[in-house]
Amino acid sequence: MNAVIDIKPVESTVNTTLGCADAPVLKERGQREVFCGLTGIIWLHRKIQDAFFLVVGSRTCAHLLQSAAGVMIFAEPRFATAIIDERDLAGLADANTELDRVVTRLLDRRPDIKMLFLVGSCPSEVIKLDLSRAAQRLSKTFAPSVRILNYSGSGIETTFTQGEDACLASLVPEMAASTAPALMVVGALADVVEDQFKRLFDALDIGPVQFFPPRHAAELPAVGPNTRFLLAQPFLADTARVLEARGAQRLTAPFPLGAEGTTEWLRAAANAFGVSPSRFERVVAPKRERAQMALARHQEILTGKRIFFFPDSQLEVPLARFLSRELGMTLTEVGSPYLHRQHLASEMALLPANTMLSEGQDVERQLDRCRAAKPDIVVCGLGLANPLENEGFTTKWAIELVFTPIQGYEQAADLAELFTRPLTRRMKLHA
Ligand code: SF4
């Protein structure tokens, strides 16, 4: 396998001269319409197959999880809510005792659980509880068979994808130290996507490659100064920061959405691992061309259509880049809850020069701008979708883009279809 070495990089043919990396951004700080970080549990519990997520929260938190994940039926559920009712400070000792009792009963009943996350929430009685101390206390009791960690899924200052960021960041201190060269792919991906990337990295002779989060608690990657990591998701600011604090180096790349994004993402790893340009082209060209052909039929529907993004998942900028460059859509506004300038640098450089970017949200003002722009399709959270549909807009739920496998060559056309489907449905309705 190749080590991390410096050789002449595989040159990108992507034209970045028209980007909007330095474009002004409209910053808004008003009322927001987003889900909280607990939502991440819905895809994380599927990814880490022997983990359990115990939300320490209120009845509202339990309802959110039940309704968001309610369509799934589990023989052995892997998340639950420990409901902490209104308690005064004097009741905190009781709350800790109660938490210990719930955890002990759960772990006694479920020896399959190897990793337990205590997930904090935003009700004031939960904020008073010190969950990191609770995790330490319980770890002493249940180590080494179960790792007990904590993170916050609170909705006070976060958006729904940041729950994954907080979860992954809590795992980094658990990683073993290593000086061996390795590639780490950071961010939850569907297993099928992970397997496809693994085959591509193998064909490029890049490795060893580890995916984080792992499928099993015992498979946490090691980390150190020779770890190079590729972000698979754009909402992992804290995770990247703590990995860098352990010596790992982030590879700068667009995110692997669409044929172009996937190629440039793979190219960043190829350059870091000394893959020759000819080998890179030999491996990726057939996959890239197949993806481009599959996108062609979606171009017929999407080219020239105008799209408006409300801030929700933090996937907005990579999606906008894909939809404008590979499908010819016109970007009326690209709103994101948070624009991480460094992590999005390669993406912003690829956006059309005049793209209207906004960060944060003042929902009423943004609704006014959306109505004035009259886009053909709006990407937004669930709370805005129904009212906008009632006003005659075609909408796409941002959360669906997080739940669906959309990364990589083989998913490029599926990703495009998520936008063509609502548009063709509306066209048929009005035919
Ligand atoms: S964490 Fe906060 S925002 Fe999320 S469901 Fe619980 S109470 Fe609501």
Side-chain angles (χ1 to χ4, degrees), residues 13 21 27 31 43 72 173 188 285 326:
T13 51
K27 296 203 178 208
Q31 193 196 332
W43 64 89
M72 303 166 215
E326 297 192 52

Side-chain angles (χ1 to χ4, degrees), residues 396-429:
K396 175 85 248 154
W397 293 350
I399 203 163
E400 207 182 325
L401 296 154
V402 180
F403 288 155
T404 313
I406 55 171
Q407 295 82 4
Y409 291 124
E410 280 155 74
Q411 281 62 241
D414 297 346
L415 175 55
E417 180 145 12
L418 289 174
F419 297 89
T420 46
R421 216 183 303 138
L423 279 169
T424 43
R425 194 186 314 126
R426 183 161 292 258
M427 280 191 273
K428 278 183 196 150
L429 278 175

Side-chain angles (χ1 to χ4, degrees), residues 35-38 55 57-58 60-62 64-65 120-123 153-156:
F35 274 136
C36 67
L38 296 187
V55 175
S58 64
T60 313
C61 309
L64 172 95
L65 274 184
S121 57
C122 52
S154 152
I156 292 175

Side-chain angles (χ1 to χ4, degrees), residues 156-187:
I156 292 175
E157 269 308 317
T158 59
T159 60
F160 76 95
T161 46
Q162 281 171 281
E164 175 175 335
D165 191 21
C167 174
L168 297 195
S170 79
L171 281 166
V172 173
E174 301 292 303
M175 290 177 173
S178 165
T179 54
L183 176 67
M184 193 191 295
V185 175
V186 181

Side-chain angles (χ1 to χ4, degrees), residues 12-23 260 325 345-354:
S12 168
T13 51
V14 172
N15 175 4
T16 60
T17 52
L18 293 177
C20 61
D22 302 318
E260 181 185 52
R325 288 177 66 93
S346 312
E347 292 286 354
M348 287 166 74
L350 294 172
L351 288 177
N354 55 353

Side-chain angles (χ1 to χ4, degrees), residues 267-322:
R267 194 190 305 278
N271 286 340
F273 283 76
V275 178
S276 72
S278 58
R279 179 172 198 154
F280 182 77
E281 203 48 30
R282 202 168 57 244
V283 171
V284 306
K287 303 262 181 206
R288 184 181 60 215
E289 279 154 27
R290 208 169 311 137
Q292 285 165 338
M293 272 162 54
L295 286 172
R297 79 187 160 87
H298 296 284
Q299 281 164 356
E300 285 169 24
I301 298 164
L302 295 177
T303 297
K305 293 283 188 313
R306 305 167 78 249
I307 187 162
F308 190 107
F309 287 88
F310 279 84
D312 204 71
S313 65
Q314 291 193 48
L315 280 164
E316 294 85 3
V317 173
L319 285 170
R321 180 263 304 156
F322 164 67

